[in-house]
Amino acid sequence: FQDENVKAWQRIWGRKILSTAIGGIISTLEKKVHTPVEVDRMYPSTKTCSKCGNIQEMALDEREYICGKCGNIMDRDHNSSMNILNEGFNAHEASLHA
């Protein structure tokens, strides 16, 4: 999962952020997942093509990722989730060999 800076949000909204969907999901992941891996919030998961790795700018209102390099077209959130998954696998694998 990607670090969404929930701690900073707590400073603004208090404990009620934990009862929101994102707070609840992250809390559950941290407690129940066998090997949780947190991906840095600065990782460009939305801007990176999950097929070829090309990084390009995207406006916040664009809902479809269209890669200018390989032509991959997919939902922005699905593309981002694939990148977070792959980055998490890479980070976990690196920690095993460290």
Side-chain angles (χ1 to χ4, degrees):
F1 62 94
Q2 192 162 15
D3 171 21
E4 293 294 339
N5 201 12
V6 173
K7 288 177 179 63
W9 295 349
Q10 272 186 285
R11 280 182 249 139
I12 298 168
W13 292 294
R15 293 190 49 83
K16 58 184 159 178
I17 192 70
L18 298 176
S19 64
T20 65
I22 192 70
I25 291 168
I26 290 173
S27 177
T28 300
L29 285 172
E30 290 174 336
K31 292 175 186 169
K32 294 188 178 186
V33 173
H34 178 65
T35 310
V37 177
E38 188 174 296
V39 174
D40 187 277
R41 80 176 75 98
M42 300 310 291
Y43 173 70
S45 61
T46 303
K47 299 176 182 182
T48 304
C49 177
S50 61
K51 300 285 185 193
C52 74
N54 179 50
I55 299 174
Q56 62 191 32
E57 292 300 316
M58 279 191 75
L60 292 174
D61 64 342
E62 289 181 63
R63 299 309 311 153
E64 191 171 59
Y65 184 89
I66 303 171
C67 181
K69 186 174 180 184
C70 74
N72 176 35
I73 300 173
M74 62 194 316
D75 177 79
R76 172 192 186 116
D77 295 333
H78 183 216
N79 181 66
S80 180
S81 67
M82 295 302 296
N83 286 324
I84 292 168
L85 178 67
N86 290 331
E87 185 68 10
F89 279 142
N90 292 338
H92 179 67
E93 189 67 25
S95 72
L96 294 175
H97 298 292

